[in-house]
Amino acid sequence: MKFKVARLELLEALQAVIGVVERRQTMPILSNVLIQAENDRVKLTATDLELEMVTQFGAAVTQPGSVTIPARKLLDICRGLPDGADISLEQQEQRIKVSSGRSRFTLSGLAANEFPFLDDIGAGTEFDISQKALKRLLDRTQFAMAHQDVRYYLNGLLLAVRQDQIRCVATDGHRLAMCDVSHETGVEELKEVIVPRKAITELLRLLGNSDLNIRISLSDNHLQANLPDVRITTKLIDGRFPDYERVIPSAGDKLAMGDRELVKQALSRTAILSNEKFRGVRLGFEDGKMRLQAQNPDQEEAEDELEIEYQGEPLEIGFNVNYLIDALGAMDSEQFAIELTGSDSSGLLKEVGDDSSRYVVMPMRL
């Protein structure tokens, strides 16, 4: 294998797939990227056995072939070379010579036939969606996924596809985020899958705000997303997602509305003196104002007060302040609303005038 390519082309391709390469691997070849060169095209593939990413670019291929190369070392070499440089890669058995100008590097590779691929996903459900719409769905829900929870089905995001709607739902058991997008998918029957956290993170990193469509393919065990320059294939989480609709509160008899950014800033200030472990903040609602209070084991206290619109009996309730900040940060509107029932019932946050996104936060005893 031998080819020559502009540094920027190779750098961008490596950056696109590097997120799937774990720093610590049980199998050495999983630290490598597979390089396949032929017909003036070079294809890069990286995998961790659960997630696979493929990209390709044009190059001057003088000798076709394939080999695997340490991914992060090659990326660091590309980053260290000057702008506008060209890079040549030449395979000599299991050694790969990388040269650019007066710079020379020799890397140890592994045979391409040892590189593991994910199974072909086969026929299944397919639909198109714009990058902008998919990014909105993921941005507004992904933060509520669990981190390494023993309930493995919470360590991912539910993707529910209907004929005229796509929904994303994430929950860690203490909060829930849900977002809908009206979209004609052509899917006749409801299809629900749980997409792992890492795949969601990598997909979000690559998605832009363009109206260009990408194709999503779903099978019983895999999801594949075909972006303009990258193809992502991931195994799905095999499990039953909780009955999320059951935990979304019905309309509460207490409603507060206020400036989203002002409340978010007040919560951030108050959080400075909250308990570092439990992150609790007490909210007090009464006619025309909201009071925020926090304290920590060092007997330090924070208090703030804001003008808001409030309908209902006076109420005091505790929440994890981070959950509130995350929910408000996922919104776009100037005004937000929170529906409440009592001090021991979950709160429902949403944007004023837009019910497409909803956020449920469980209360805390403070």
Side-chain angles (χ1 to χ4, degrees), residues 36 98 109 208 302 332:
Q36 298 166 292
V98 182
D332 292 328

Side-chain angles (χ1 to χ4, degrees), residues 1 38 62 119 142 191 195 237 257 274 276 311 316 352:
M1 183 190 74
E38 62 178 346
T62 53
D119 297 332
Q142 54 82 28
K191 180 74 173 178
V195 188
I237 294 176
M257 292 187 291
S274 66
E276 291 185 8
Q311 302 167 11
E316 281 202 352
V352 173

